[in-house]
Amino acid sequence: MNFNDMDLRPEILKAISLMGFEKPTDVQVKTIPYILENNKDLVALAQTGTGKTAAFGLPIINQVQLENDQIQSLILCPTRELCMQIARDFQSFSKYIEGFKVVPVYGGTSIDNQIRSIKKRPQIIVGTPGRSLDLIKRKVLKLGSVKWFVLDEADEMLNMGFKEDLDAIFQEMPKIKHTFLFSATMSQEIARMGKLYMQDTEEISVGKKNSGSDNVEHYYYMTHARDRYLGLKRIVDVNTDIYSIVFCRTRRETQEVAEKLVADGYDADSLHGDLSQAQRDYVMNKFRRRHLQILVATDVAARGLDVNDLTHVINFSLPDDIESYTHRSGRTGRAGKKGISMAIINMREMHRVRAIERSINKKFTSKMIPNGKEICEAQLFKLIDKIKNIEINHEQIDQYLPMIFEKFENLDREELIKHLVSMEFNRFLDYYKNAKDLNTTVRESRPYEQGSNPRARQGMTRQGFSRIFVNKGEVDNMNPGYLMGMINDAMGSKRIKVGKIDIKDKFSFVEVESESVGEVIDGLATVKVAGAPIKAEISRSSTAPANRKNNNYRGKRPSYDRKRY
Ligand code: ADP
Ligand code: MG
């Protein structure tokens, strides 16, 4: 199907053609005719970068009544940046439609200007839930005439805690309208929200649910936690043309990594929630213009950053939830290009890689952190290319040439090349001269395997079960019922088999079916006891954790107990 077959206004066709849209994307093929023709609600799931904005934007713009000066569509999205981006996209789509107005409203900036803009009577508002609700309460934003209510990145709005705001806004909506819920991923909460807000709903899903982009390859590098940063540097150094977002989990980590990179001479900066809006804009602009090669960011801060063509996405830390991984990796491999999503993990994080694999239905490739030689080679070739391709300013240089030739008189061609290349290259040679191997020897853990040694099996968990260590015990008021409750909460609707529960003084053990142990551990990572996150990991011994500290498995292959995971 083509855009021309879609019953869209010629002004829109002209505008998108100018934007370089030749063929509709899969999600657009499904949603545009649907929204144009149907009176039903819609849940649409599609990966990041598949053109969801146009998928709801074009059919809504097409149906807006220009002579009607009421707000006809409200589009909610999680961040200020997304608001601006969607509003920008809508402006581009409607460029040739006279009298069409869209206004973005978001927090962190003067509400007065936004009130003034709304008074100019746009047909469409794009807003964050918080600011929209504020404007509703001030009686500026009136939703009585809304016909199309869109929740874009609904999953992320929930993650960011907008549930109550969304509910409140929904109360303000007229009964008769169309609600469209767009999301890259489906979760139980999204499904619940769909049920609550929508009637007679169609679900459109493009590609596999929760699956990543097909153009993206997934790599993991395994190193010790303490070598993570060095590993990152090497990965950056070997990929000489890298243009990448490095994802971290916390603001603090984000800032630390960025500061180290800057101190080490990289074109890097950070994006996180502690920055003022002006600082954020500044950093994002630098990155968009490629004045930065590396942006270190948290998931939330990176949302809405309209940068599609990253060469690599780097997971400095894996995210807590798999949806975030899908979002992260969706930032590379767009528009048919190949992309690479890399995770730098330590030995204990293998189960998380496996959990992601199961969810996105794709395998990670195990990669070695490059050694000094490989990096020096890569840098050398880059340097040679740079020398070959450099633009020569003949006018200026010609006058000095006789003098330059004279100075180089004693060097033959070969010598001269050596000198030239060494000039820049020595820096890398020096740095990586005695570079150690950062890869850990344990490439793959075997978490759920029973030892083949019968003695090792003694006192072990039941067949088919794995034992999880939890760092809370009786002193924390832990009891079997509470622990079961935590596991049930963490697993949502999924029921799993639980075996023996053993509550000790300061920690506990629980046996769960081996096939779900990774998921349970991931799930427990999101649970908090008395406000503090708990720690859960595969238990190595029933007496844990004291001897763990002495257990030195750094360096060369340790006396590694295969049951350790
Ligand atoms: P999503 O919301 O699904 O993550 P976007 O709507 O932000 O994706 O679109 C991603 C990019 O693809 C944008 O730069 C957009 O302009 C571009 N795009 C969308 N639809 C098409 C199309 N049919 N042809 C070419 N580019 C498109
Ligand atoms: Mg989008």
Side-chain angles (χ1 to χ4, degrees):
M1 187 184 274
N2 245 314
F3 282 120
N4 289 326
D5 310 324
M6 279 183 176
D7 221 6
L8 291 166
R9 300 170 60 138
E11 295 97 319
I12 294 180
L13 293 176
K14 184 172 163 195
I16 58 176
S17 147
L18 218 80
M19 291 170 75
F21 289 20
E22 283 168 11
K23 277 187 81 67
T25 63
D26 288 350
V27 68
Q28 290 162 359
V29 166
K30 288 189 177 166
T31 55
I32 295 174
Y34 180 87
I35 296 177
L36 288 173
E37 288 157 21
N38 269 287
N39 291 321
K40 285 202 230 167
D41 291 346
L42 173 69
V43 172
L45 303 172
Q47 301 154 13
T48 318
T50 50
K52 291 195 284 295
T53 312
F56 60 80
L58 302 183
I60 291 177
I61 294 171
N62 201 73
Q63 297 179 84
V64 154
Q65 293 175 333
L66 297 164
E67 62 287 356
N68 177 347
D69 63 0
Q70 309 286 320
I71 292 165
Q72 294 165 53
S73 181
L74 174 68
I75 291 144
L76 295 178
C77 62
T79 64
R80 158 195 156 107
E81 285 75 25
L82 267 178
C83 268
M84 300 199 296
Q85 192 182 311
I86 294 171
R88 264 202 308 269
D89 285 349
F90 271 50
Q91 261 149 13
S92 307
F93 300 152
S94 62
K95 190 166 148 191
Y96 298 107
I97 303 181
E98 195 109 0
F100 178 88
K101 281 194 228 85
V102 55
V103 167
V105 298
Y106 42 79
T109 183
S110 148
I111 199 165
D112 295 332
N113 288 339
Q114 293 175 358
I115 292 174
R116 268 195 292 279
S117 300
I118 294 176
K119 292 204 165 135
K120 291 194 184 136
R121 304 230 164 242
Q123 294 92 354
I124 297 187
I125 299 281
V126 186
T128 53
R131 180 53 63 96
S132 301
L133 191 59
D134 195 351
L135 288 160
I136 291 170
K137 285 182 180 154
R138 289 171 192 241
K139 309 248 181 274
V140 178
L141 188 54
K142 298 196 181 96
L143 303 178
S145 304
V146 167
K147 288 191 202 148
W148 301 279
F149 178 38
V150 181
L151 298 143
D152 190 25
E153 309 253 12
D155 49 347
E156 191 59 18
M157 290 199 280
L158 291 180
N159 285 345
M160 290 174 70
F162 282 132
K163 177 84 175 75
E164 280 173 19
D165 289 354
L166 293 178
D167 287 341
I169 294 170
F170 193 73
Q171 294 305 319
E172 302 293 322
M173 289 285 168
K175 278 261 164 327
I176 298 175
K177 65 177 173 314
H178 308 305
T179 305
F180 306 139
L181 190 155
F182 281 77
S183 176
T185 53
M186 182 50 129
S187 67
Q188 285 160 16
E189 282 154 288
I190 294 285
R192 264 197 293 261
M193 203 157 101
K195 282 212 189 86
L196 209 66
Y197 289 0
M198 301 159 82
Q199 310 145 354
D200 202 6
T201 309
E202 187 84 5
E203 183 177 315
I204 290 176
S205 176
V206 176
K208 249 192 217 84
K209 280 181 196 171
N210 288 355
S211 83
S213 161
D214 278 346
N215 294 326
V216 181
E217 286 189 67
H218 304 264
Y219 296 168
Y220 72 83
Y221 297 83
M222 195 183 279
T223 186
H224 294 292
R226 67 190 146 100
D227 288 334
R228 220 183 266 266
Y229 174 72
L230 290 178
L232 169 68
K233 260 177 62 157
R234 290 202 193 173
I235 290 168
V236 170
D237 283 346
V238 88
N239 291 291
T240 52
D241 290 319
I242 201 163
Y243 178 55
S244 175
I245 299 182
V246 174
F247 282 98
C248 295
R249 257 159 57 155
T250 61
R251 293 172 186 191
R252 193 154 149 217
E253 189 178 65
T254 305
Q255 217 159 354
E256 276 171 12
V257 171
E259 274 166 15
K260 279 193 207 163
L261 284 171
V262 171
D264 285 337
Y266 296 86
D267 297 326
D269 209 333
S270 61
L271 200 59
H272 55 80
D274 284 345
L275 302 179
S276 71
Q277 290 297 353
Q279 285 170 318
R280 288 166 65 87
D281 290 346
Y282 176 71
V283 173
M284 298 216 292
N285 262 327
K286 267 200 304 186
F287 189 59
R288 267 197 211 104
R289 295 206 196 122
R290 298 198 172 224
H291 293 175
L292 292 176
Q293 264 195 303
I294 301 168
L295 183 70
V296 191
T298 54
D299 290 290
V300 170
R303 264 304 162 105
L305 175 61
D306 182 25
V307 173
N308 301 332
D309 47 356
L310 300 177
T311 58
H312 301 76
V313 163
I314 302 181
N315 294 268
F316 187 76
S317 309
L318 282 173
D320 285 326
D321 59 313
I322 289 164
E323 274 113 58
S324 296
Y325 183 84
T326 313
H327 277 294
R328 289 179 178 187
S329 57
R331 293 191 162 275
T332 180
R334 290 204 190 179
K337 283 190 214 149
K338 284 268 170 231
I340 297 172
S341 171
M342 305 166 153
I344 308 175
I345 62 169
N346 65 39
M347 293 183 291
R348 294 178 197 187
E349 290 174 314
M350 199 56 226
H351 71 273
R352 306 184 58 187
V353 167
R354 295 293 175 235
I356 293 170
E357 284 182 334
R358 283 194 296 275
S359 174
I360 64 174
N361 204 15
K362 279 186 113 177
K363 285 270 172 229
F364 275 66
T365 313
S366 156
K367 290 277 175 181
M368 301 293 276
I369 295 177
N371 60 29
K373 185 162 174 274
E374 289 163 313
I375 292 167
C376 288
E377 275 172 19
Q379 290 291 340
L380 184 59
F381 289 127
K382 178 176 177 180
L383 179 60
I384 293 168
D385 278 347
K386 206 165 137 189
I387 293 173
K388 270 173 78 174
N389 296 332
I390 196 146
E391 212 173 300
I392 295 172
N393 187 332
H394 288 283
E395 250 170 67
Q396 295 294 317
I397 201 86
D398 281 357
Q399 52 181 317
Y400 299 107
L401 279 180
M403 199 177 75
I404 295 169
F405 288 142
E406 200 184 311
K407 290 228 174 222
F408 282 146
E409 215 173 31
N410 299 327
L411 295 176
D412 61 19
R413 180 185 145 92
E414 204 168 304
E415 289 282 314
L416 185 61
I417 291 176
K418 282 186 198 163
H419 278 257
L420 189 66
V421 169
S422 301
M423 198 175 66
E424 242 191 275
F425 185 51
N426 280 353
R427 192 160 58 91
F428 277 96
L429 276 183
D430 282 346
Y431 183 80
Y432 283 115
K433 200 162 45 192
N434 296 315
K436 61 173 181 161
D437 183 7
L438 296 181
N439 297 285
T440 52
T441 40
V442 184
R443 301 294 306 164
E444 171 83 33
S445 57
R446 303 197 181 151
Y448 326 131
E449 215 175 72
Q450 298 282 347
S452 55
N453 173 357
R455 251 191 336 164
R457 216 181 284 160
Q458 268 174 25
M460 270 279 301
T461 359
R462 254 190 291 166
Q463 189 79 39
F465 280 78
S466 297
R467 191 206 295 258
I468 295 175
F469 161 83
V470 179
N471 71 335
K472 295 278 180 250
E474 263 195 76
V475 295
D476 311 291
N477 292 325
M478 181 61 81
N479 60 48
Y482 193 76
L483 190 53
M484 275 300 296
M486 262 169 37
I487 291 175
N488 284 338
D489 282 352
M491 299 304 291
S493 65
K494 183 169 173 189
R495 291 288 88 127
I496 58 152
K497 285 196 209 115
V498 174
K500 213 170 100 193
I501 295 180
D502 192 4
I503 310 286
K504 305 272 190 207
D505 230 17
K506 293 188 175 149
F507 49 89
S508 311
F509 296 101
V510 55
E511 291 176 2
V512 301
E513 58 185 39
S514 292
E515 59 184 65
S516 304
V517 69
E519 278 172 79
V520 175
I521 286 179
D522 283 347
L524 287 175
T526 64
V527 174
K528 286 183 178 163
V529 170
I534 65 159
K535 227 169 102 183
E537 52 193 56
I538 306 242
S539 143
R540 283 162 229 143
S541 84
S542 58
T543 49
N547 60 355
R548 205 160 14 137
K549 285 211 183 73
N550 311 329
N551 198 353
N552 180 7
Y553 33 81
R554 293 177 176 168
K556 58 183 186 319
R557 193 173 175 94
S559 57
Y560 162 76
D561 172 2
R562 61 192 308 198
K563 297 202 311 300
R564 205 167 55 73
Y565 271 81

